[in-house]
């Protein structure tokens, strides 16, 4: 942070008092992202995007007014304060919003890397070129990589208010993405994946990553339908993490309070198998959503949501925590300075077990390993947990993968499925970057209904 920001803070609070605000808070965020996309050995696009802005919350005659500005000059600050006062004058709410004075202490999140912050454009371009070359060389049936990109971003956030809160943090993140297309005769198959690191570009191992996605695409060639039936199911880590991300709102205290979660009123009950423990941890080494404080300035930590199958906590912001009579779990979230306050996990994940994916496959008599899910927006009910999703995978017989399968639909209920987990892999993987990411190891489910031919 620079003196300019401190002077800005002082200027906003001094002007705010003149506008009649009794308590005030500013949320400042600045982001910078450099992205390169490669196509057939050439730079397809190269972009640098920078944005910064400030939002303001102020208590005016007992009501909270909000406004934001993307310009940080005096005229824009006056316009923002005027808009916030007008917002407070027309706001009608029986619930009084309050500003947070700050937590007793904050843990360092270790989500900033000098190496990533100083990575130059030439290094990013070479990484993307190496990744494309590895993807194309993974299998002779790879026609092209229709998407191959590397993004390096950094962000800084400051939340300060007149009650004494003064939180500041900076973070970095590198993300690589590949979509590979394989072709054999008339058969075409694609595979997509992404990887991230908050510490180093080397952690991405772009050549190994490109090779893996290329091989995934080739492995899908020759896929066939299967008979409709009940099968043993293995959700590979990426597929179950995606499903957990889709249903993460079930664990929101705000949603439970509003009746928008199947878990409303079930604290203390067994909601999953005794082998399931689910945790939200904002300080998990190597995880994508690490942060020292949430979007209200509350110190983050580690929250057990499900312990040995029992629901022990929801994820809360200050408002939902107050209604529930508990302390905030540090899960308030706003998507940038213009976003509204909501509740979101930091790094929500299912605790890994001890088995490798190969061991899960070897223990399967007749089943399917799901590796990709489609239709998550239309085929899932985020309140009840029901799902019916198109899927791709591999048919398993007598402990061995026999062939790829397609045109299948897997149906069930997410929470009931967690009551029927037979075995848990040790390959914890996160889907998503930044706060809200969800992680899971591969899970073997006793039985689910598969609709095929």
């Amino acid at each position: 942070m620079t003196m300019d920001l401190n002077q800005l803070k002082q200027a906003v609070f001094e002007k705010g008092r003149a506008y009649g605000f009794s308590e005030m808070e500013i949320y400042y965020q600045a982001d910078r992202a450099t992205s390169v996309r490669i196509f057939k050995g050439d730079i397809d696009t190269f972009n640098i995007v920078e944005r910064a802005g400030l939002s303001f919350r102020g208590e005016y005659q007992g009501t909270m007014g909000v406004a934001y500005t993307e310009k940080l000059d005096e005229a824009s600050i006056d316009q923002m304060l005027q808009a916030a006062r007008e917002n407070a004058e027309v706001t009608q709410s029986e619930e009084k919003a309050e500003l947070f004075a700050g937590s007793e202490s904050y843990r360092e999140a270790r989500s900033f890397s000098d190496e990533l912050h100083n990575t130059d454009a030439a290094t990013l371009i070479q990484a993307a070129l190496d990744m494309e070359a590895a993807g194309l060389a993974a299998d002779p049936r790879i026609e092209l990589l229709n998407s191959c990109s590397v993004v390096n971003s950094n962000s800084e956030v400051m939340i300060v208010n007149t009650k004494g809160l003064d939180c500041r943090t900076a973070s970095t993140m590198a993300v690589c993405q590949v979509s590979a297309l394989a072709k054999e005769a008339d058969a075409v198959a694609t595979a997509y994946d992404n990887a991230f690191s908050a510490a180093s570009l080397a952690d991405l191992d772009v050549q190994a990553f490109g090779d893996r996605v290329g091989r995934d695409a080739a492995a899908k060639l020759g896929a066939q339908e299967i008979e409709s039936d009940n099968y043993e199911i293995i959700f590979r880590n990426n597929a179950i993490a995606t499903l957990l991300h889709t249903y993460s709102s079930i664990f929101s205290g705000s949603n439970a309070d509003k009746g928008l979660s199947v878990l409303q009123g079930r604290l203390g009950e067994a909601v999953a198998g005794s082998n399931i423990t689910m945790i939200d941890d904002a300080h998990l080494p190597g995880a994508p959503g690490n942060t020292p404080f949430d979007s209200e300035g509350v110190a983050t930590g580690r929250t057990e949501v499900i312990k040995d199958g029992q629901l022990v906590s929801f994820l809360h912001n200050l408002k939902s925590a107050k209604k529930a009579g508990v302390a905030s779990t540090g899960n308030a979230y706003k998507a940038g300075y213009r976003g509204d306050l909501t509740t979101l996990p930091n790094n929500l994940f299912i605790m890994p077990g001890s088995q490798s994916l190969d061991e899960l496959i070897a223990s399967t008599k007749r089943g399917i390993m799901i590796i990709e899910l489609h239709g998550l927006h239309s085929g899932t009910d985020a309140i009840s947990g029901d799902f019916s999703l198109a899927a791709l995978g591999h048919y398993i017989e007598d402990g061995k993968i026999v062939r790829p399968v397609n045109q299948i639909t897997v149906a069930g209920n997410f929470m009931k499925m967690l009551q029927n987990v037979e075995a848990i892999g040790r390959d914890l993987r996160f889907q998503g970057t930044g706060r809200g990411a969800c992680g899971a190891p591969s899970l073997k489910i006793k039985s689910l209904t598969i609709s095929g031919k």
Side-chain angles (χ1 to χ4, degrees), residues 66-148:
V66 297
Y68 71 88
T69 179
E70 295 175 345
K71 295 182 178 179
L72 305 182
D73 54 54
E74 289 204 11
S76 298
I77 290 171
D78 278 318
Q79 292 173 1
M80 178 186 71
L81 293 170
Q82 179 66 33
R85 189 167 68 181
E86 291 172 358
N87 176 262
E89 289 172 339
V90 300
T91 296
Q92 295 181 348
S93 175
E94 295 179 357
E95 297 176 354
K96 184 179 178 181
E98 297 179 0
L99 301 182
F100 181 59
S103 300
E104 288 186 7
S105 61
Y106 296 87
R107 285 179 59 190
E108 184 181 353
R110 296 180 180 176
S111 55
F112 182 84
S113 160
D114 286 327
E115 179 188 329
L116 281 182
H117 186 259
N118 296 322
T119 297
D120 59 23
T123 303
L124 288 183
I125 292 169
Q126 189 59 54
L129 287 167
D130 292 345
M131 189 164 65
E132 185 189 49
L136 291 170
D139 190 286
R141 296 169 293 178
I142 301 299
E143 284 275 300
L144 57 84
L145 303 193
N146 47 359
S147 178
C148 176

Side-chain angles (χ1 to χ4, degrees), residues 204-254:
L204 298 178
D205 196 353
V206 291
Q207 290 178 308
F209 177 76
D211 175 75
R212 179 168 61 78
V213 180
R215 287 188 286 107
D216 276 355
K220 293 179 180 176
L221 289 169
Q224 301 172 24
E225 299 177 74
I226 58 170
E227 299 288 341
S228 298
D229 205 345
N230 290 328
Y231 292 87
E232 296 174 84
I233 297 294
I234 296 172
F235 281 95
R236 197 171 67 179
N237 55 7
N238 63 308
I240 193 66
T242 298
L243 207 53
L244 175 59
H245 185 270
T246 301
Y247 288 111
S248 61
S249 61
I250 283 179
F251 306 102
S252 160
S254 300

Side-chain angles (χ1 to χ4, degrees), residues 1 8 59 69 89 131 148 221 239 263-264 297 303 309 315 393 399 403 423 434-435 437:
M1 300 296 175
L8 175 70
E59 187 175 335
T69 179
E89 289 172 339
M131 189 164 65
C148 176
L221 289 169
L263 298 180
Q264 183 187 40
T303 302
L315 301 178
R403 58 179 171 81
R435 296 184 63 201

Side-chain angles (χ1 to χ4, degrees), residues 272-278 306-309 350 418 421 424 443:
S274 60
N275 55 353
I276 296 296
T277 291
M278 188 180 296
I306 296 175
K307 183 176 183 181
D308 300 331
I350 295 171
L418 292 183
V421 175
I424 302 174
L443 298 183

Side-chain angles (χ1 to χ4, degrees), residues 269-279 304-313:
E269 292 184 15
V271 298
S274 60
N275 55 353
I276 296 296
T277 291
M278 188 180 296
I279 290 169
E304 286 187 328
V305 179
I306 296 175
K307 183 176 183 181
D308 300 331
Q310 184 183 54
L311 180 66
V312 292
S313 178

